[in-house]
Amino acid sequence: MNARSIDLDTLRRDLETSEQDAYVRAMAVRAGTGWGLYHCWALIGAEPPQWSEALWEYQDHAFVACRVPAAALASLCSPEAGSALALGPLAVSVPAAIGPAHKNRHPSHARHERAPLPVPAADVTIAPADRGSRNVPQTILVGEGVPSFPEPNSAWRAFSEGDFSLIGAQGPPDDLARLRFAEDGAWLGRVHVTPTQMAVAVEGSRVNGAELELFGESERSSRRLEAAGEVTFPLAHGLPAHAWLWLKRGTMWLDYRSIDPGSGWTGDLDRAGVEIEVPVEPQVRIEALIASGEGPQVVKEYLPTKQSRRTLKTVAAFANGDGGTMVFGINRDEVTVTGVNEDNPPPKLRDHLVDLVRGTVFPMPHVEARDYRIDGKLILVLEVSPGTHPPYGLSTPDTRDKPEYFVRRGASTFPAQPNDLSEAVLSRRVTEGGTSSRFAG
């Protein structure tokens, strides 16, 4: 959460010029022959979950839920008492307010909310000028056609939260008003985690220029966004521990969510739209990786040799971009497992593969080689991390003095153009400044 103070005049002007609706729940107490506002809660710019208009009226208490123009709430910012506010069928007198107001921001599906919003929101709290003179009559509440309660705190909790338990009933806040502004420019929608990737729906009308970051103990990467839609992160090792998603623009977060089921920051993942498939054995994960076809992963039937090192041009392309995976021992049909030639033990084959990268791609990117058996056949998997010092070039005996550079576009590797290399270098420089579109692992 980010907290800051807001001048009441500024808040009043913002409300007066608003063209949005406000969904209000308020409590009033008897004041002479009329009603005085005790507390007003309002959501501006979105409809609350399970919303309905209502009026519970008792002898000395009234509870009202109604929709009003947000501009009407500007009277809540007045330093003078007595402003009139129409809340549905109820007319209330507004006490004097004192500034400044205080603003706190919350992500979508905030875990401590009884009815969390699917979009981020900013809460603005307005204090009464004379808190000591505000009294709630502590009497039994009995009215015609409305529920009865032993005291007003239980009535407020039932009216505002739908909780009729009467156990530990908490009264309305002693603030004059809490205004919640829905922030629907860009937010995190549903998140689907499989053993091999994370798919994140980013929604909103002002997504262009935002950045989506996946943060975890072993995986840290981000994507610069141009429009709303689904963003996919490959998970070479499954869901990383302490996983978070951050949607941000510059130094300001737009939305965030903890994806770690064991974290104290995480609430009900299902309620927050997060679906995590049960992790599977590494072999099954590799089978799923193969079945997904080429893209951030490439399948090859044979291991490269000193004479066929150009196969590793894709390693350089992955290092210049967002990283990727090469799977060796798969037929060109991308389905049939042929296995690699086991003329040496798997550890030696892994070392040989890494040595080929070390002798071919400059500078040396971070890679990891692993071996698996599928249907009794040996396959090798080479995982390439996004490079931290691009550009990465391919150097063979014929091109030792003139490295060749490559980039990855979709499922294909292409010779890099000068602007491709400039973009790769610039993106890493931005990383060092703290606003990267990709982070080193």
Side-chain angles (χ1 to χ4, degrees), residues 115-138:
L117 290 177
V119 298
D123 282 355
V124 177
T125 303
I126 304 173
D130 187 2
R131 199 180 295 267
S133 65
R134 289 158 50 82
N135 297 312
V136 177
Q138 296 299 309

Side-chain angles (χ1 to χ4, degrees), residues 194-417:
T194 73
T196 58
Q197 70 175 20
M198 176 186 292
V200 183
V202 179
E203 303 182 40
S205 59
R206 297 186 295 278
V207 174
N208 184 33
E211 185 179 351
L212 180 61
E213 175 191 348
L214 168 62
F215 175 92
E217 187 175 290
S218 57
E219 300 279 345
R220 292 172 298 281
S221 58
S222 68
R223 302 282 190 276
R224 190 76 64 178
L225 308 180
E226 296 181 356
E230 186 174 271
V231 181
T232 301
F233 293 94
L235 301 177
H237 309 292
L239 180 66
H242 310 298
W244 282 72
L245 284 170
W246 293 91
L247 184 62
K248 58 190 181 180
R249 180 177 281 111
T251 60
M252 178 180 179
W253 65 263
L254 304 174
D255 199 4
Y256 62 81
R257 196 168 303 165
S258 171
I259 312 296
D260 184 353
S263 170
W265 288 92
T266 303
D268 186 337
L269 286 178
D270 183 63
R271 186 176 72 164
V274 179
E275 179 185 1
I276 302 178
E277 294 186 10
V278 177
V280 296
E281 294 299 319
Q283 175 174 317
V284 179
R285 186 163 63 246
I286 292 302
E287 290 174 341
L289 184 67
I290 295 169
S292 66
E294 292 206 354
Q297 60 279 331
V298 171
V299 298
K300 298 290 181 182
E301 188 162 6
Y302 304 107
L303 284 172
T305 65
K306 290 183 178 180
Q307 291 73 35
S308 63
R309 287 185 292 186
R310 286 185 60 83
T311 300
L312 299 181
K313 64 184 181 183
T314 302
V315 174
F318 280 153
N320 283 326
D322 293 331
T325 305
M326 299 188 73
V327 184
F328 298 93
I330 308 299
N331 187 270
R332 289 184 179 181
D333 63 11
E334 302 180 10
V335 175
T336 305
V337 178
T338 59
V340 298
N341 190 337
E342 297 188 55
D343 50 358
N344 284 300
K348 193 167 184 178
L349 291 174
R350 295 198 311 265
D351 292 343
H352 171 71
L353 184 56
V354 173
D355 286 342
L356 280 178
V357 175
R358 183 177 291 109
T360 305
V361 182
F362 296 94
M364 172 67 179
H366 177 72
V367 299
E368 291 187 38
R370 294 181 173 84
D371 62 271
Y372 301 89
R373 286 198 178 274
I374 299 179
D375 298 331
K377 299 172 183 177
L378 178 68
I379 67 169
L380 290 185
V381 176
L382 184 71
E383 295 169 350
V384 185
S385 298
T388 56
H389 300 288
Y392 292 81
L394 186 72
S395 180
T396 65
D398 297 332
T399 62
R400 179 66 63 180
D401 298 329
K402 191 177 180 180
E404 296 178 278
Y405 299 95
F406 299 89
V407 292
R408 191 79 176 161
R409 295 194 184 97
S412 301
T413 299
F414 295 90
Q417 301 301 314

Side-chain angles (χ1 to χ4, degrees), residues 109-192:
H109 300 283
R111 62 171 304 208
H112 295 297
E113 297 290 334
R114 181 177 292 272
L117 290 177
V119 298
D123 282 355
V124 177
T125 303
I126 304 173
D130 187 2
R131 199 180 295 267
S133 65
R134 289 158 50 82
N135 297 312
V136 177
Q138 296 299 309
T139 61
I140 293 176
L141 279 68
V142 177
E144 184 176 353
V146 295
S148 301
F149 296 92
E151 38 74 36
N153 286 356
S154 298
W156 170 257
R157 182 170 171 177
F159 185 83
S160 63
E161 300 181 4
D163 185 351
F164 288 78
S165 64
L166 306 184
I167 299 175
Q170 184 174 3
D174 60 359
D175 301 308
L176 174 59
R178 291 187 179 179
L179 309 182
R180 171 164 290 187
F181 294 83
E183 299 181 341
D184 58 358
W187 74 92
L188 298 173
R190 293 199 63 82
V191 179
H192 185 206

